[in-house]
Amino acid sequence: MVLVEVIKCKAAVIWGLKEPISIEEVEVAPPKAYEVRVKILATGICRTDNNAITGGLHAKFPVIVGHEAVGIVESIGEGVTTVKPGDKIIPLCVPQCGFCSACLNPNSNFCERLDISGKGVLSDGTSRFICKGKPIHHFLSTSTFTEYTVVEESSVAKIDAAAPPEKVCLFGCAFSTGYGAAINTAKVTPGSTCAVFGLGGVGLSIIIGCKAAGASRIIGIDINPLKFEKAKAVGATECINPKDYTKPISEVLKEMTNNSVGYTFEAIGHLDTIIDALASCHNNYGTSVLVGNPPSSTMLTYDPKLLFTGRTWKGCIFGGWKTRNDLPKLVSDFMAKKFNLDPIITHVLPFNKIKDGFDLLNKGESIRTILTF
């Protein structure tokens, strides 16, 4: 039997709410039964990570955030059968245990092991990270802003060994979420008109999905016009800035399209744009999909007539994909050149430049920054 030791490595630790990122030496424990220890190769900086740091999403501190990554299996715990050391994998912020009611239902991917409430520990109630003698919490059961992490077997998807980590890490969140929102959740139809609120990594991935589904008109919406060129590069037919108009954006879209917006997507997570997106799709046959992560502990008020007339309002977790089954296939499609992720990736930085990556995000100067190890 091979003895698996504690690994000491560098990680980005957040010691408290709204505190700065601190690069620290952490101890990463060996994997327990049905767990996998992973060497991270590349990880993306997502708005969700920033929301956890600033309090917009539940997280327990101190914590290592990060959830969009590619890595190599370093070691496995007792009972692990689906991956082995050396396998290239994507850590899954949405697990697929295969046994809960959601996993067994063909129409659901909301696995009961998903840590959406921010418990910050693995299934046995403990952490695998220690820094300065203190346990460090996990984030979304992945914690990828570290050279090594430990995840459960249900939270890893084995992928093509030849897949480039600095690109396919996007399948760990942004691309899968956005593309699936169009393909799986909305089920965009050929010839339809779509409107996408928010042109970050998820929003651009939604546009890719709408185009793949055959939408004839795709309108990108953002208050940052610097993102318009990227949106058009992936398939947006036009882009608009709500700040350029005095009337509600729903009225603008109605006039632009002769009241024919079939699908709207909110990829920001702001309460006002969630309602704007709902009001912007056709009042009877329109479907609006909430994709952006809304702020925790908030309530939304809306006019129920927006739904009474026939609209469909849907939520979307990770694009509706059953992660362990579907992500390897998506990566294979990428390797077959069915998707181009280059427009989404605006910056690639070494891990020790993580603070610069968050600065780019918060200044609106990046779509996706990828950190490499």
Side-chain angles (χ1 to χ4, degrees):
M1 181 176 179
V2 177
L3 181 63
V4 182
E5 303 283 354
V6 169
I7 287 177
K8 292 183 178 180
C9 69
K10 296 296 183 182
V13 177
I14 314 298
W15 289 102
L17 181 63
K18 299 183 181 179
E19 290 193 14
I21 296 167
S22 180
I23 302 294
E24 306 277 7
E25 183 178 83
V26 300
E27 296 179 7
V28 185
K32 296 184 180 181
Y34 306 107
E35 294 177 357
V36 179
R37 190 160 62 183
V38 178
K39 176 180 174 60
I40 300 297
L41 301 177
T43 182
I45 297 178
C46 176
R47 178 69 63 180
T48 298
D49 301 314
N50 193 68
N51 289 344
I53 296 170
T54 60
L57 181 70
H58 285 305
K60 290 186 178 179
F61 298 93
V63 65
I64 297 171
V65 295
H67 63 286
E68 181 182 79
V70 166
I72 296 290
V73 174
E74 178 270 337
S75 56
I76 59 175
E78 181 182 355
V80 173
T81 60
T82 57
V83 293
K84 65 183 184 303
D87 285 344
K88 185 172 285 185
I89 62 97
I90 293 177
L92 303 173
C93 56
V94 176
Q96 185 185 351
C97 72
F99 302 104
C100 70
S101 61
C103 286
L104 293 173
N105 189 306
N107 299 315
S108 173
N109 72 329
F110 198 94
C111 178
E112 291 176 5
R113 294 193 179 187
L114 171 59
D115 185 17
I116 200 168
S117 63
K119 296 191 302 289
V121 291
L122 298 185
S123 289
D124 71 346
T126 65
S127 168
R128 301 295 170 268
F129 301 115
I130 291 178
C131 183
K132 298 179 179 179
K134 297 180 180 180
I136 307 297
H137 289 93
H138 294 249
F139 178 66
L140 291 176
S141 304
T142 49
S143 290
T144 62
F145 291 161
T146 172
E147 293 175 314
Y148 289 85
T149 190
V150 176
V151 298
E152 296 176 9
E153 185 180 15
S154 58
S155 292
V156 293
K158 181 181 176 181
I159 62 169
D160 187 336
E166 72 282 0
K167 294 187 179 183
V168 298
C169 63
L170 291 175
F171 289 88
C173 180
F175 183 79
S176 301
T177 297
Y179 184 77
I183 299 294
N184 298 327
T185 307
K187 294 180 171 57
V188 170
T189 54
S192 58
T193 296
C194 302
V196 181
F197 289 71
L199 301 178
V202 173
L204 296 191
S205 300
I206 293 170
I207 291 171
I208 294 172
C210 292
K211 182 178 180 180
S216 60
R217 193 171 182 184
I218 305 169
I219 303 168
I221 304 162
D222 204 293
I223 60 173
N224 183 355
L226 296 176
K227 296 181 178 180
F228 292 173
E229 182 180 352
K230 293 285 187 182
K232 291 177 180 178
V234 297
T237 54
E238 59 219 286
C239 295
I240 58 175
N241 183 346
K243 290 185 174 181
D244 292 339
Y245 303 90
T246 56
K247 61 181 65 178
I249 196 67
S250 58
E251 293 183 18
V252 173
L253 288 168
K254 184 175 181 178
E255 292 175 2
M256 286 177 61
T257 66
N258 193 27
N259 193 25
S260 65
V261 178
Y263 304 92
T264 62
F265 302 86
E266 202 280 354
I268 307 165
H270 291 176
L271 300 186
D272 54 350
T273 47
I274 291 171
I275 298 300
D276 287 343
L278 177 63
S280 295
C281 67
H282 190 275
N283 62 357
N284 181 253
Y285 62 74
T287 295
S288 185
V289 181
L290 171 55
V291 190
N293 195 344
S296 300
S297 304
T298 56
M299 298 298 290
L300 186 64
T301 300
Y302 68 97
D303 182 352
K305 287 287 181 65
L306 289 171
L307 295 178
F308 176 74
T309 57
R311 289 181 177 90
T312 298
W313 201 7
K314 307 183 78 173
C316 174
I317 288 285
F318 205 84
W321 304 107
K322 286 189 178 290
T323 49
R324 300 194 80 199
N325 292 349
D326 294 332
L327 258 62
K329 299 173 188 175
L330 284 175
V331 171
S332 294
D333 285 344
F334 168 76
M335 297 298 285
K337 302 187 184 305
K338 292 185 180 180
F339 316 122
N340 178 19
L341 302 181
D342 289 346
I344 301 175
I345 301 169
T346 51
H347 300 80
V348 179
L349 300 174
F351 176 62
N352 62 6
K353 298 289 186 181
I354 184 171
K355 294 179 185 179
D356 294 342
F358 273 93
D359 286 343
L360 289 166
L361 173 71
N362 289 318
K363 291 177 181 177
E365 296 177 3
S366 69
I367 301 295
R368 224 11 156 241
T369 294
I370 307 300
L371 303 173
T372 57
F373 292 79

